[in-house]
Amino acid sequence: MTHSAVNLTAFSAEQIRKEFPILQTRVNGKPLIYLDNAATAQKPGVVIDRMNDYYRNENANVHRGIHTLSQQATTDYESTRKKVQAFIHAADEEEIIFTSGTTESINLVASTFARTILKPGDEILISAMEHHSNIVPWQMILEEKGGVLKVIPINDNGELILDELDSLLSSKTKLVAVSHMSNTLGTINPVKEIIKAAHEKGIPVLVDAAQSIPHFPVDVQDLDCDFLAFSGHKLFGPTGIGILYGKKALLDTLPPYHGGGDMIKTVTFEKTTYNDLPFRLEAGTPNIAAGIGLGSAIDYVNSIDWKSAVAWEHELLTYTTEKMLEVPGLRIIGTAANKGSVISFVMKSAHASDIGMILDQEGIAIRTGHHCTQPLMKRFGVPATARASFAFYNTKEDADALIRGLLKINDLFG
Ligand SMILES: Cc1ncc(COP(=O)(O)O)c(C=O)c1O
């Protein structure tokens, strides 16, 4: 991704952060410096207001009601499907399935697609940097079906060793499931290349876009992925809503996921017939407010200068990385050439949880621990890391405060 052509003076993180109420608050008596965006992003006022408005003035169930409020709720909720379709450039609205988040999206594919096709001895290929959400659902279904999990290894920079891809993709491989951007290392993976290699052998690919979707444009037709999963809450939207994208031809072959209301056409005690896509895969009353909120979040993201936002985050990443490398005893875990704005690190002077606690006293929110990537921690020989993750509303002042906090930690523990 090139960032040089973008005029960053036209992009003001200072202006943008005013639209996020929580960024004006104080934590432990200090202005909040929020650097835990990889866990969840903050919400602009428009998203919060829209959800409040729904509950105050429009609350009704969707899809089944004839009365005005229900029709309004249905229109608003369904308009998000169209917005998501446009946002990820899906060919068809029916390819957008509402779930509760990335985790449920991946579980849906495991429970339907993988359960249908896997035979004993079959393989699913993931990578060494996957989030537990893109490991455990596959392990569960592979255990049930007698299959085997295979892993694309990574090098010491935290980049996939793609030389091994060809030999890992065999006639036994039934699915590749790989993350677009690592939540722990920040590595942006060449998923288009992986998809092409898998497709040459007729193998479908699921992309975990939980981390990529808030950081750069994702185009499912350009990637040619078969499935793609992401969560609303990392895209400046609410929790409890996520998306599974699937190519229509593939989704059409899937058996139902959950049984219940909305996913049926007819029910008798003898036999049930199922609804068409996307509803066949969406049983029960959905998270309507969150769905509507996600629509507002997408409107919001569409309203900002996306190209400049991407470049700004890259600038923040470079600026912070350079300053961190000057902090004595600090080691960055994840030094891929193509990286998003996530920096994992360890310090000689303090354990990750101590780093997190001291920074918290300064009003600085970072994440510490294994980041739901325990195999990755093992690969790098660390029990845990501290992780600062940026969004487009972060500033160089945020980075400076982080560095001051890290130097203070060295003073205290060093
Ligand atoms: C790469 C990646 N995949 C999957 C998930 C799971 O997302 P959720 O908990 O929103 O379902 C996360 C969350 O941090 C993630 O970073």
Side-chain angles (χ1 to χ4, degrees):
M1 212 162 290
T2 64
H3 307 281
S4 48
V6 176
N7 175 14
L8 275 179
T9 51
F11 181 80
S12 169
E14 285 298 348
Q15 270 315 109
I16 285 178
R17 59 191 290 118
K18 288 184 187 151
E19 293 162 19
F20 290 75
I22 206 168
L23 298 178
Q24 325 307 322
T25 59
R26 297 175 83 82
V27 168
N28 294 326
K30 308 274 171 60
L32 170 65
I33 292 171
Y34 188 75
L35 297 177
D36 195 17
N37 294 285
T40 197
Q42 297 302 350
K43 324 302 172 201
V46 283
V47 170
I48 301 165
D49 293 348
R50 182 66 191 91
M51 291 175 74
N52 266 339
D53 191 46
Y54 164 74
Y55 276 128
R56 278 185 181 279
N57 301 310
E58 297 169 25
N59 179 54
N61 210 332
V62 288
H63 298 150
R64 290 176 289 268
I66 192 77
H67 63 84
T68 303
L69 285 188
S70 177
Q71 300 231 348
Q72 185 62 46
T74 302
T75 304
D76 292 345
Y77 180 72
E78 285 300 323
S79 75
T80 296
R81 206 185 298 275
K82 294 194 184 72
K83 290 176 190 177
V84 173
Q85 180 201 347
F87 191 64
I88 62 171
H89 194 219
D92 199 313
E93 207 183 308
E94 295 175 358
E95 297 181 320
I96 307 300
I97 311 297
F98 287 122
T99 64
S100 63
T102 309
T103 303
E104 192 187 26
S105 298
I106 296 174
N107 274 280
L108 192 161
V109 177
S111 294
T112 56
F113 177 74
R115 175 165 283 127
T116 312
I117 57 154
L118 285 179
K119 304 262 180 318
D122 281 348
E123 297 171 0
I124 289 179
L125 180 62
I126 61 168
S127 90
M129 67 178 82
E130 299 309 317
H131 187 282
H132 296 164
S133 292
N134 201 26
I135 303 175
V136 184
W138 308 124
Q139 285 176 324
M140 289 163 66
I141 194 71
L142 286 165
E143 194 175 358
E144 186 183 312
K145 293 289 178 173
V148 182
L149 189 70
K150 292 279 179 170
V151 183
I152 310 170
I154 54 172
N155 63 24
D156 290 343
N157 294 328
E159 293 160 324
L160 295 179
I161 303 176
L162 286 183
D163 292 350
E164 305 213 1
L165 184 62
D166 194 47
S167 61
L168 284 164
L169 291 170
S170 77
S171 58
K172 292 182 185 162
T173 318
K174 292 297 177 291
L175 180 74
V176 177
V178 67
S179 115
H180 203 176
M181 176 173 150
S182 161
N183 63 309
T184 302
L185 306 171
T187 310
I188 297 171
N189 287 320
V191 284
K192 198 169 167 178
E193 204 181 309
I194 295 170
I195 291 164
K196 192 164 173 285
H199 282 180
E200 272 163 16
K201 298 190 176 179
I203 303 162
V205 180
L206 176 144
V207 174
D208 174 352
Q211 292 297 332
S212 54
I213 204 93
H215 293 293
F216 51 87
V218 172
D219 181 328
V220 290
Q221 291 188 75
D222 178 52
L223 292 177
D224 199 24
C225 54
D226 302 278
F227 298 108
L228 181 133
F230 70 90
S231 303
H233 69 98
K234 295 188 202 275
L235 186 62
F236 316 99
T239 50
I241 187 85
I243 299 298
L244 172 68
Y245 158 82
K247 280 183 182 163
K248 189 165 181 314
L250 255 180
L251 291 181
D252 271 333
T253 67
L254 301 187
Y257 172 45
H258 289 151
D262 247 21
M263 52 77 75
I264 57 93
K265 239 179 206 149
T266 60
V267 179
T268 66
F269 289 124
E270 289 71 37
K271 186 172 171 56
T272 289
T273 60
Y274 302 121
N275 209 340
D276 299 325
L277 287 175
F279 309 110
R280 188 158 52 84
L281 295 168
E282 298 175 349
T285 299
N287 194 336
I288 304 165
I292 292 173
L294 176 60
S296 295
I298 290 175
D299 288 343
Y300 177 78
V301 170
N302 283 335
S303 77
I304 65 162
D305 175 358
W306 196 225
K307 248 196 178 147
S308 298
V310 173
W312 174 244
E313 282 188 32
H314 189 74
E315 170 87 8
L316 283 174
L317 173 69
T318 310
Y319 179 84
T320 315
T321 302
E322 279 168 9
K323 297 229 160 195
M324 278 174 114
L325 290 175
E326 289 168 11
V327 175
L330 186 146
R331 175 178 151 223
I332 292 178
I333 308 274
T335 49
N338 195 10
K339 226 185 123 165
S341 55
V342 170
I343 311 176
S344 265
F345 60 97
V346 290
M347 292 174 80
K348 273 206 180 108
S349 60
H351 187 270
S353 55
D354 295 327
I355 301 172
M357 263 153 53
I358 301 289
L359 292 178
D360 181 51
Q361 286 165 18
E362 302 296 318
I364 304 168
I366 62 154
R367 179 54 63 113
T368 60
H370 54 63
H371 318 291
C372 295
T373 53
Q374 284 184 4
L376 196 53
M377 297 291 111
K378 197 170 167 205
R379 165 65 181 78
F380 281 95
V382 292
T385 73
R387 180 188 71 186
S389 53
F390 296 79
F392 49 63
Y393 46 57
N394 287 119
T395 61
K396 288 189 178 170
E397 287 71 34
D398 293 344
D400 291 341
L402 172 68
I403 302 298
R404 277 197 303 278
L406 298 176
L407 291 171
K408 186 173 175 183
I409 289 165
N410 267 351
D411 283 348
L412 285 172
F413 295 93

